[in-house]
Amino acid sequence: MTRRDDSGASPVLVRGARLPGGETTDLILADGRIDEVGSGLSRSGATVVDADGLVALPGLVDLHTHLREPGYEASETILTGSRAAAAGGYTTVFAMPNTSPVADTAGVVEQELALGEAAGYVHVQPIGAVTVGQKGERLAELGAMASSRARVRVFSDDGFCVFDPLIMRRALEYVKAFDGVVAQHAQDPRLTEGAQMNEGTVSAELGLAGWPAVAEESIIARDVLLAEHVGSRLHVCHLSTAGSVDIIRWAKRRGVDVTAEVTPHHLLLTEELVRGYDPRFKVNPPLRRDEDVRAVREGLADGTIDIVATDHAPHPAEAKSCEWQAAANGMVGLESALRVVQQAVVDTGMLTWEDVARVMSTAPARIGRLAEAGTDLVIGAPASLTLYDPAPSAVFTREDLRGRSTNSPYVGRELPGSVRWTFFRGAVTVAEGAVVDLAEVPA
């Protein structure tokens, strides 16, 4: 599949869009860039997009996506995951390395990069594994991946914690050489053996093995101290507890170079949903208490938590259509993320649309060291943006999903908003809410 050459595309006039700061403007997109910004713009031969009532956001950037290819194409492929991302307003996704083979060499990350380029919907930026095979025993080829065509800057064993403190220290030391960051899956494996859900009153009532908050918090506490000692960058994946927010807040006051993410589902959903034993709500880390949801919302609002990342984790139907204990952990989330964020923290008055642009675009691009992603909507910037309508409200259905898997916790739930248009480097990937078939776009 090929994507239309930006330089040969007709210019686009976006008329009357509302920028994140609230001002209304026109935008002209040409040759893959934002060519003009202002009022009353016109351009001969331009395709006009009426953006009245729509919020124009920089193309969303997801620092935590599982695209499953190579190796697990029954769950997702880079093409199907890219389409799901575009449908959600994303123009860049960082692909986690738990593939088969694991993305622990330059060859695998370059393959992922090339598959993303061929799909053409978003920039697929590979994340390299910290350890060989994600086994936690010895460091992977960090330098080779960093110097490859994929220019990897984020390294993670997500799905597994880098549990050995010496391995973690060495990884933090190594990535300093090229301004990289280690993204830690904070889960003490000994404290979570056999765990099925958050440890607390609900797990006791249901008779399910509990997943204690301290299993997350103890790893974060250790790693912020290691990062401070080494003087390196640390990123904490899918933070989920009130105690974790407190530790990150303390570390930032101390001057530690640490960033953290929260998922949309941890901003909205609680452990109470597990009472129905619906495997759609089984996830790692687990859904937590209402108190934790309030804490992570507050942490995002006050800047303790830097970004929202989806942890989009597709699974085939058989991995979720089974009893709770046998079900796989994970939820798909690319298509619903912006709508969930609106419901959880925008409509509640905790975040503005400027804040949304920061936590879902500019900050994740900065953490991942991508200069051409997450840029403000100014003249000369890449024409990667989404036009979002916050006004409607509708029940989320399976028809809203554009990836290969359907394990969404939001099916049947009413959510606000709608992604109307997505532009990736000037090319239309979503038009009037429908994903464009790029195979039909002339090369």
Side-chain angles (χ1 to χ4, degrees):
M1 177 180 293
T2 58
R3 191 169 73 80
R4 175 177 55 190
D5 185 344
D6 295 335
S7 63
S10 300
V12 175
L13 169 58
V14 177
R15 181 169 289 159
R18 178 159 63 96
L19 295 178
E23 61 271 33
T24 300
T25 191
D26 300 340
L27 301 161
I28 292 180
L29 317 180
D31 297 328
R33 298 275 167 178
I34 298 176
D35 199 48
E36 289 188 67
V37 179
S39 299
L41 300 182
S42 64
R43 179 69 62 92
S44 176
T47 300
V48 178
V49 172
D50 182 6
D52 182 42
L54 306 184
V55 179
L57 296 167
L60 304 185
V61 178
D62 189 15
L63 199 67
H64 192 147
T65 303
H66 298 273
L67 294 180
R68 305 303 194 201
E69 187 177 11
Y72 303 108
E73 289 84 358
S75 299
E76 193 77 284
T77 67
I78 287 176
L79 173 59
T80 61
S82 295
R83 287 173 60 89
Y90 286 91
T91 56
T92 298
V93 296
F94 283 74
M96 280 294 179
N98 55 338
T99 52
S100 181
V102 170
D104 57 5
T105 66
V108 178
V109 296
E110 288 184 346
Q111 177 191 6
E112 292 177 338
L113 181 72
L115 287 169
E117 291 170 341
Y121 286 93
V122 296
H123 173 63
V124 175
Q125 177 58 43
I127 293 176
V130 176
T131 64
V132 174
Q134 295 183 294
K135 295 180 179 179
E137 298 171 351
R138 55 193 176 94
L139 291 182
E141 299 176 6
L142 309 184
M145 288 186 280
S147 59
S148 72
R149 195 172 74 86
R151 296 192 71 255
V152 176
R153 291 296 180 271
V154 183
F155 298 87
S156 180
D157 276 358
D158 184 66
F160 303 94
C161 178
V162 182
F163 187 51
D164 186 320
L166 182 59
I167 293 287
M168 187 63 179
R169 174 183 176 171
R170 294 292 181 247
L172 289 166
E173 290 173 331
Y174 201 126
V175 300
K176 285 179 64 178
F178 39 80
D179 193 26
V181 63
V182 177
Q184 175 68 294
H185 174 108
Q187 176 195 350
D188 187 310
R190 295 299 303 279
L191 290 175
T192 55
E193 289 180 2
Q196 293 290 319
M197 66 169 296
N198 181 57
E199 181 179 282
T201 303
V202 178
S203 66
E205 291 177 3
L206 297 179
L208 293 175
W211 189 307
V214 71
E216 174 175 305
E217 296 157 5
S218 60
I219 296 296
I220 296 174
R222 181 201 75 176
D223 286 351
V224 295
L225 292 174
L226 283 174
E228 179 183 46
H229 178 71
V230 171
S232 187
R233 291 201 297 140
L234 169 71
H235 179 74
V236 178
C237 295
H238 43 49
L239 177 153
S240 68
T241 77
S244 295
V245 177
D246 288 340
I247 294 167
I248 296 296
R249 188 175 286 123
W250 171 85
K252 288 190 170 185
R253 286 200 302 263
R254 192 176 171 93
V256 179
D257 195 353
V258 59
T259 54
E261 71 189 33
V262 64
T263 69
H265 48 272
H266 287 112
L267 287 170
L268 187 65
L269 309 178
T270 74
E271 63 180 359
E272 290 293 329
L273 290 164
V274 179
R275 291 186 183 278
Y277 296 101
D278 186 338
R280 289 185 302 143
F281 301 114
K282 188 176 183 182
V283 67
N284 178 352
L287 299 180
R288 302 290 190 179
R289 307 167 302 161
D290 183 66
E291 301 96 303
D292 295 305
V293 171
R294 291 198 301 270
V296 295
R297 287 184 182 185
E298 291 167 1
L300 185 65
D302 69 20
T304 300
I305 299 173
D306 300 83
I307 65 170
V308 174
T310 70
D311 194 9
H312 175 82
H315 291 291
E318 58 270 21
K320 286 290 191 177
S321 300
C322 56
E323 66 274 17
W324 177 273
Q325 285 88 342
N329 285 306
M331 304 168 169
V332 294
L334 286 167
E335 300 97 331
S336 53
L338 189 51
R339 298 173 67 183
V340 173
V341 167
Q342 179 185 345
Q343 184 172 91
V345 288
V346 177
D347 289 350
T348 56
M350 301 185 77
L351 261 62
T352 66
W353 289 112
E354 279 188 298
D355 295 325
V356 171
R358 171 175 52 83
V359 302
M360 297 188 75
S361 185
T362 57
R366 173 182 53 80
I367 294 168
R369 296 301 192 255
L370 284 184
E372 287 284 286
T375 55
D376 292 331
L377 302 179
V378 297
I379 294 174
S384 295
L385 63 148
T386 185
L387 300 177
Y388 181 74
D389 187 354
S393 182
V395 173
F396 192 83
T397 70
R398 289 195 175 193
E399 285 66 43
D400 292 309
L401 298 170
R402 295 293 181 269
R404 179 157 286 183
S405 297
T406 60
N407 53 303
S408 167
Y410 306 110
V411 171
R413 187 184 189 104
E414 187 163 336
L415 294 175
S418 174
V419 173
R420 304 308 302 159
W421 295 81
T422 305
F423 300 88
F424 174 51
R425 298 173 182 167
V428 178
T429 57
V430 173
E432 296 290 2
V435 176
V436 174
D437 187 349
L438 295 183
E440 296 179 355
V441 176

